[in-house]
Amino acid sequence: NWCKGKLKIRGKREDIIHFIKNGLLPLNNEIKEDYGNGYLHIYYDDTCYIKNTYRGFIPHLDVYLSEDNHTDPFIIVLDSEFAWKIKADQLLDICKNYHVDMKIYAYEKGMEFNQHIEIVDGKIIHDDIIKFDDYTWECPDPSK
């Protein structure tokens, strides 16, 4: 069973780049990057493991970061999937290590629950499991 959602990462440009290059482990080949038109494009067409998580993955990496440092904080949004459920304490350690904030609202269709996690300034703001009496009717997007 996979808990899937959009993982938002917020921080300084260099901290986000540091997380991508050191906090993600590509399962095949290497993460690639290109520069052009004022942007850094970081991409990987296969799955990346999120280091120090229990089976957390980014199935496809495609990030554009402006080279203009005046747009801090940067926010990137990544598709993500975690086995069974997301462990907020693991994301907290990642946030502290890379000096970023994270937020995710994820769906676990098999066991019929949603999970909401938000970590800001090294503190867990939300770590909620949302259960439903009728997943198909009550869940915001039961197809996920």
Side-chain angles (χ1 to χ4, degrees), residues 92-141:
L92 176 63
D93 289 342
I94 292 168
C95 288
K96 288 179 178 179
N97 190 38
Y98 293 100
H99 311 288
V100 296
D101 300 330
M102 289 186 173
K103 183 177 188 175
I104 186 169
Y105 190 93
Y107 301 84
E108 212 296 2
K109 185 177 181 179
M111 296 186 61
E112 299 187 340
F113 70 87
N114 293 172
Q115 191 168 5
H116 174 222
I117 295 173
E118 184 174 4
I119 301 165
V120 177
D121 294 330
K123 294 184 177 103
I124 296 174
I125 307 300
H126 292 282
D127 182 10
D128 307 315
I129 299 287
I130 300 103
K131 296 184 178 186
F132 303 94
D133 291 327
D134 183 339
Y135 189 79
T136 303
W137 181 252
E138 296 171 8
C139 176
D141 191 349

Side-chain angles (χ1 to χ4, degrees), residues 82-98:
F82 296 79
W84 301 106
K85 72 174 232 169
I86 305 164
K87 297 179 188 249
D89 59 329
Q90 293 174 347
L91 293 185
L92 176 63
D93 289 342
I94 292 168
C95 288
K96 288 179 178 179
N97 190 38
Y98 293 100

Side-chain angles (χ1 to χ4, degrees), residues 20-61:
I20 292 171
K21 290 183 176 182
N22 299 290
L24 299 179
L25 178 64
L27 299 184
N28 299 303
N29 300 315
E30 295 179 0
I31 293 174
K32 298 176 183 173
E33 57 185 73
D34 290 323
Y35 297 90
N37 297 327
Y39 285 90
L40 168 61
H41 181 206
I42 304 173
Y43 59 98
Y44 185 69
D45 289 331
D46 206 346
T47 301
C48 292
Y49 166 66
I50 305 169
K51 291 181 183 178
N52 301 313
T53 63
Y54 176 72
R55 297 179 63 201
F57 299 94
I58 304 298
H60 175 78
L61 180 66

